[in-house]
Amino acid sequence: MLDIKFIRENPDLIKEAVRKKHLTFNVDELLALETQRGALLAEVENMRAEQNSFTERIARASDTTERDAMITQMRTFKETMAKKEEELKGVMEKWRASMLMVPNVPDVSVPEGAGDDENVEVRRVGEIPSFDFTPKDHVTLMLENDMADFERGVKVAGFRGYFLKGDGAMLDYAIMMYTLQELQKKGFTPMIVPSMVRREAFLGTGYLPQSEDDLYKTQDGEYLAGTGEVATMGYHMDEILEKSALPKKF
């Protein structure tokens, strides 16, 4: 989530990010909410300070009649303050919901485009091999060698469902282990993370609220993560890390 101070100081930058990402977010409405929130917050805080002062004066009052009058006045004041606090609560809920929808600002080097067809190739790595025969794609090779079953995968899991079998399963594990070993050499710590994740972790990683309709949710308010990065990025949430302990590589 971007800091509101940054948003206030760079509204045009946020609007440009909204345009580049083809979103329907109104930056001006958020800024209007922020102005309303700030005014109400200041008003409520002043009223709370006034209430504290009032309470002290009531405690010091020696005249009973004067004290009773002040107590009656205090009741009316509390009712007014309660209404103002309720108004602030409503604005805060709208403000928080709006803040969660603010997009991150893409780097200036990111090309604009409405879809994958407009992606830009940055570079190619390695030499593209040439063959004296027509190479087969991985799907064909796996089917011919009984390493995968796509038909039964679709039957059981639906679109994109598949089973890896025999050498296909072993190859999958081999690639994972090779990758983990290479990353460990570079200082990364392998982790197996929870699949069921609390809402706070999804909010903190930007998957909510935009993608809520695409997530499986339990009756306890937890969500099934489609990627391990949600839990991994939430590993140190609500913690303050010492600079000497950085970087953390998982």
Side-chain angles (χ1 to χ4, degrees):
M1 183 188 294
L2 295 178
D3 187 86
I4 187 61
K5 184 174 182 290
F6 177 83
I7 298 170
R8 281 200 312 264
E9 293 175 351
N10 303 277
D12 291 337
L13 200 61
I14 308 302
K15 289 177 182 178
E16 181 64 6
V18 171
R19 186 192 67 78
K20 279 188 173 182
K21 295 191 173 189
H22 304 277
L23 301 175
T24 54
F25 176 75
N26 193 314
V27 179
D28 292 328
E29 284 183 6
L30 170 61
L31 294 175
L33 274 173
E34 166 61 9
T35 301
Q36 189 179 4
R37 182 188 75 98
L40 279 171
L41 190 60
E43 192 173 353
V44 168
E45 287 177 349
N46 288 336
M47 291 181 81
R48 287 170 181 165
E50 193 175 341
Q51 180 187 21
N52 292 336
S53 175
F54 220 139
T55 302
E56 290 177 6
R57 278 187 282 153
I58 290 173
R60 291 197 304 266
S62 56
D63 185 80
T64 304
T65 304
E66 181 186 2
R67 172 184 273 181
D68 290 344
M70 290 174 71
I71 290 173
T72 301
Q73 188 179 352
M74 172 62 88
R75 288 198 193 101
T76 304
F77 182 82
K78 280 185 175 181
E79 289 174 3
T80 303
M81 188 172 75
K83 290 178 182 178
K84 193 60 67 174
E85 286 176 331
E86 193 63 28
E87 185 181 354
L88 174 62
K89 181 181 176 182
V91 170
M92 284 297 296
E93 287 176 357
K94 292 179 182 177
W95 179 84
R96 290 192 187 100
S98 188
M99 282 291 290
L100 289 170
M101 300 299 291
V102 178
N104 285 322
V105 179
D107 188 82
V108 291
S109 65
V110 176
E112 293 187 42
D116 292 345
D117 293 340
E118 296 179 78
N119 287 343
V120 176
E121 184 180 286
V122 178
R123 65 178 180 274
R124 294 192 180 195
V125 179
E127 295 289 331
I128 297 177
S130 59
F131 302 96
D132 57 3
F133 59 90
T134 302
K136 298 178 181 179
D137 60 66
H138 68 286
V139 173
T140 303
L141 288 170
M142 294 183 82
L143 288 174
E144 288 182 353
N145 291 279
D146 197 27
M147 297 167 68
D149 193 323
F150 298 102
E151 288 187 11
R152 290 185 175 91
V154 171
K155 178 180 70 175
V156 172
F159 179 62
R160 291 187 179 178
Y162 62 89
F163 287 93
L164 292 181
K165 304 167 57 184
D167 286 342
M170 297 303 292
L171 179 61
D172 188 57
Y173 283 121
I175 292 172
M176 283 194 281
M177 288 306 301
Y178 170 75
T179 303
L180 287 171
Q181 289 167 358
E182 289 298 307
L183 289 172
Q184 275 189 293
K185 293 175 185 177
K186 299 178 183 295
F188 285 86
T189 300
M191 294 180 75
I192 296 176
V193 302
S195 297
M196 299 301 297
V197 184
R198 297 171 62 192
R199 181 179 178 84
E200 290 81 1
F202 277 96
L203 287 169
T205 51
Y207 283 92
L208 291 180
Q210 291 96 330
S211 303
E212 188 155 9
D213 291 341
D214 296 326
L215 298 175
Y216 291 101
K217 183 180 179 182
T218 72
Q219 69 273 15
D220 300 318
E222 295 176 324
Y223 294 82
L224 180 61
T227 169
E229 65 187 352
V230 177
T232 305
M233 287 193 285
Y235 186 66
H236 285 296
M237 70 179 186
D238 300 325
E239 298 178 26
I240 297 176
L241 302 178
E242 293 294 336
K243 187 176 180 180
S244 59
L246 300 177
K248 298 282 188 181
K249 299 165 73 176
F250 296 122

